[in-house]
Amino acid sequence: MEAPLSLLEHYKTKQPVTCGHVGALTKEETDKLRQLWQLVIDEFDRTDSEPLRVLFRLSDSDALYEDDGLTSLSFEPLVPLSSKDRAQSESATPESELQSESAMQSESTTPNGTPLSNRIARAGSGLLGWMSSGRSTPASTSPDDDAAAQQRRRESVQDHVQRTQHHTTPLVPAPFVPLFKQPEQTRTFRSAFWQAATQTRNADSWVLRFLRARKWDVCAAFAMLRKTLEWRAGQALDEIMFYGESQLHMHTMKSGLAFACTRDRLNNPVFVIRVRVNMARERSIAAIKRFLCWQIETSQLLASGVDGRVTLVFDMSGFTRDNIDLQLVRTLITLLTNYYPETLGVMLIYVNSLLFSGLWALIAPFIDPNVKAKIILARNASGLVPFIDRKCLPVELGGSKAFKYEYVVPEINENSCMGDVKARGVVERTFGDAVDAYERATRTWLTSKSDDVSVDAGHERDSAREAVCRAFDALDPYVRARTLYHRLEFI
């Protein structure tokens, strides 16, 4: 048996990483996949109508938050969704803090017109306004800035469009409704699973990520998968993607802090993170967390043909002390390590700075060994070229690709179909029927014994999977706001 190729050898030969992926599984790996699916199906049956337990915290001392390694990373969920935990949250939050947050949001509203102060009082934490927490990093307050300029730096994309284009129409013309018509405050294991697993267009691909991340330990992989679904529910990722850019921080979007612009030698989408434009004082940490979640979720649309893997290029050129933001870096590492396993293809750090050496010493201990093995330091364009062809590398990184980032704001009517409740109902029922058929096919596949039955069951399951993909493609415009990458025709 030949030794597996190294990461660099994969790029040199342009051979995709297939070991442990769909289409290249060994018999032992297939057995592990079946075992994990059996645990997932058992959980579907056990918790059919039981809401996921959602963990969150409002402060470092919040007793409701379990220490799973996130406390040191300052990573708190954006909103609590369990109605039981929501009530505990309200009782645990000082009234003075709620009043302070309510006053801060007195002029802001959610996309469907509900005052954000109501959401804060109801949930104990803001969701849609970027200035959602009194503990967030404040925007710049230079004495030379007037109140209007400060407000513009704080505004969301929705606020910006309304102010500059004089439109009062919401960019997303409908209130958020979860899949499967579940109450907004809860998610079951099953609904959270299908909302996440369909992002890669193959549920097996998504499930396999957890097996590879946990070295094919089925129980550990299932524990990680369940924890991820609890986190996704607590973060309300489906709601974040529903409203999309409309509720992201306009200044962050405009600055080009992070964006996809090309593909690497294995056809993975490349996201460039320009560290020099990052100023923590110019936005809240809640805003940057929401931005990173949105970017990673959106990356799955760009990476659907390569099993969801993406390449990150940290452009450290022009990096100064003002750009140091450990919360941002730790948050990104936490996301990739704990909640988006096996999403990272390779991380290229484009740097020639002594300052970064000290910063790296602080960051390195937080990085999972699997992630650290994918980190490459490049001191010039020649260090990037083995992974990204020079003609595909943007000019600003030393390549020849003429790409200059410019944020294109959403068009007023680009999400108009999201307001068509009747049409969404039709496609959502089709999606639900397709998911039910896939689950039935999976149960047959799991219980099949003979090779002949197993082959037939596999074919039935493949057909059911394709039906889920078609149904999800039809549903997607009703549950996810269009993105910058749609407007740039990357998708």
Side-chain angles (χ1 to χ4, degrees):
M1 181 176 175
E2 294 183 5
L5 298 177
S6 68
L7 183 62
L8 183 57
E9 287 171 336
H10 274 288
Y11 277 91
K12 284 182 177 178
T13 60
K14 294 188 178 181
Q15 294 186 41
V17 180
T18 58
C19 183
H21 292 72
V22 171
L25 297 178
T26 65
K27 183 181 183 303
E28 292 74 17
E29 290 168 346
T30 300
D31 289 342
K32 296 286 187 180
L33 175 63
R34 291 165 69 105
Q35 292 172 35
L36 183 52
W37 262 112
Q38 187 64 63
L39 293 177
V40 169
I41 293 293
D42 290 346
E43 191 72 4
F44 286 171
D45 296 338
R46 189 182 71 81
T47 62
D48 181 48
S49 59
E50 178 183 324
L52 277 168
R53 182 174 62 101
V54 177
L55 300 177
F56 64 96
R57 66 171 175 171
L58 300 176
S59 67
D60 290 342
S61 60
D62 193 328
L64 298 178
Y65 185 80
E66 291 185 356
D67 183 7
D68 61 353
L70 289 179
T71 302
S72 63
L73 303 183
S74 300
F75 194 99
E76 61 272 11
L78 301 178
V79 65
L81 290 180
S82 166
S83 57
K84 177 181 177 181
D85 289 343
R86 184 192 297 273
Q88 291 175 331
S89 164
E90 291 173 344
S91 64
T93 306
E95 182 66 22
S96 59
E97 185 175 342
L98 289 177
Q99 291 174 350
S100 173
E101 291 184 346
S102 178
M104 185 183 301
Q105 294 290 352
S106 60
E107 299 301 323
S108 300
T109 60
T110 62
N112 60 325
T114 304
L116 271 172
S117 57
N118 293 352
R119 294 293 292 272
I120 292 170
R122 184 157 52 89
S125 171
L127 170 63
L128 298 170
W130 82 274
M131 286 289 289
S132 60
S133 171
R135 288 170 297 280
S136 298
T137 306
S140 174
T141 54
S142 167
D144 296 330
D145 293 340
D146 58 24
Q150 291 182 34
Q151 183 59 38
R152 286 194 293 273
R153 275 197 300 275
R154 296 183 177 121
E155 68 186 359
S156 67
V157 172
Q158 173 74 67
D159 294 335
H160 173 80
V161 170
Q162 290 184 343
R163 177 177 61 82
T164 58
Q165 299 184 23
H166 308 292
H167 280 284
T168 58
T169 303
L171 293 172
V172 177
F176 168 70
V177 177
L179 282 178
F180 306 110
K181 296 183 170 59
Q182 292 193 308
E184 184 181 346
Q185 293 79 17
T186 62
R187 304 288 188 282
T188 65
F189 177 89
R190 180 177 182 269
S191 68
F193 176 91
W194 286 113
Q195 193 275 333
T198 49
Q199 303 298 313
T200 61
R201 304 182 62 78
N202 188 335
D204 279 350
S205 294
W206 192 71
V207 169
L208 282 167
R209 292 180 182 185
F210 297 92
L211 282 169
R212 294 195 302 271
R214 288 297 176 259
K215 307 297 184 185
W216 300 92
D217 182 325
V218 175
C219 291
F222 179 73
M224 185 184 192
L225 186 152
R226 182 176 179 86
K227 189 72 173 178
T228 294
L229 294 182
E230 290 176 350
W231 172 82
R232 290 179 68 89
Q235 295 286 357
L237 286 192
D238 50 354
E239 185 166 356
I240 291 174
M241 299 313 295
F242 182 87
Y243 290 118
E245 293 165 47
S246 70
Q247 293 304 310
L248 296 183
H249 183 210
M250 177 62 188
H251 182 78
T252 300
M253 294 298 296
K254 186 177 180 180
S255 69
L257 172 61
F259 54 88
C261 61
T262 189
R263 291 188 177 271
D264 67 13
R265 291 184 182 272
L266 298 183
N267 203 37
N268 298 326
V270 175
F271 281 74
V272 176
I273 300 174
R274 298 193 297 186
V275 179
R276 66 181 177 276
V277 306
N278 179 58
M279 296 288 183
R281 65 178 181 271
E282 304 225 331
R283 42 83 184 138
S284 69
I285 187 59
I288 203 62
K289 290 171 183 175
R290 191 171 295 113
F291 172 77
L292 290 175
C293 286
W294 176 84
Q295 287 280 13
I296 296 175
E297 288 286 304
T298 302
S299 75
Q300 300 306 285
L301 293 175
L302 295 164
S304 61
V306 288
D307 206 16
R309 292 184 298 276
V310 300
T311 289
L312 300 182
V313 176
F314 272 81
D315 179 8
M316 308 294 290
S317 58
F319 171 69
T320 70
R321 286 182 174 82
D322 288 339
N323 305 124
I324 295 176
D325 189 349
L326 291 182
Q327 283 185 309
L328 184 155
V329 176
R330 289 175 177 177
T331 296
L332 180 59
I333 291 172
T334 298
L335 289 171
L336 294 174
T337 302
N338 293 358
Y339 304 119
Y340 294 94
E342 296 293 305
T343 296
L344 178 66
V346 63
M347 181 185 294
L348 306 172
I349 301 181
Y350 183 55
V351 61
N352 189 6
S353 167
L354 293 177
L355 177 60
F356 178 77
S357 300
L359 183 62
W360 180 249
L362 294 175
I363 297 171
F366 292 97
I367 303 178
D368 180 270
N370 291 330
V371 174
K372 190 179 295 186
K374 299 176 181 179
I375 296 177
I376 308 294
L377 299 182
R379 295 193 175 277
N380 50 47
S382 297
L384 300 176
V385 168
F387 303 92
I388 306 171
D389 194 291
R390 192 177 293 273
K391 68 176 183 293
C392 297
L393 195 64
V395 171
E396 67 178 80
L397 295 177
S400 57
K401 181 180 176 66
F403 177 88
K404 182 178 181 181
Y405 177 83
E406 182 176 351
Y407 180 56
V408 181
V409 299
E411 298 177 5
I412 295 298
N413 296 318
E414 71 179 21
N415 298 308
S416 59
C417 71
M418 298 178 77
D420 192 336
V421 177
K422 184 177 180 180
R424 169 176 167 165
V426 172
V427 296
E428 188 168 352
R429 283 192 295 273
T430 301
F431 176 72
D433 291 343
V435 166
D436 290 343
Y438 186 82
E439 287 184 16
R440 289 193 299 270
T442 297
R443 291 174 190 269
T444 301
W445 173 65
L446 291 174
T447 57
S448 62
K449 300 298 183 182
S450 70
D451 290 340
D452 290 341
V453 174
S454 180
V455 169
D456 291 341
H459 289 161
E460 178 188 355
R461 191 164 177 263
D462 288 343
S463 297
R465 176 184 59 78
E466 292 172 2
V468 170
C469 288
R470 291 193 298 270
F472 180 76
D473 287 343
L475 176 62
D476 190 67
Y478 296 92
V479 297
R480 186 204 313 257
R482 301 301 84 184
T483 72
L484 168 66
Y485 305 114
H486 287 93
R487 293 190 288 280
L488 294 179
E489 297 185 349
F490 288 2
I491 299 174

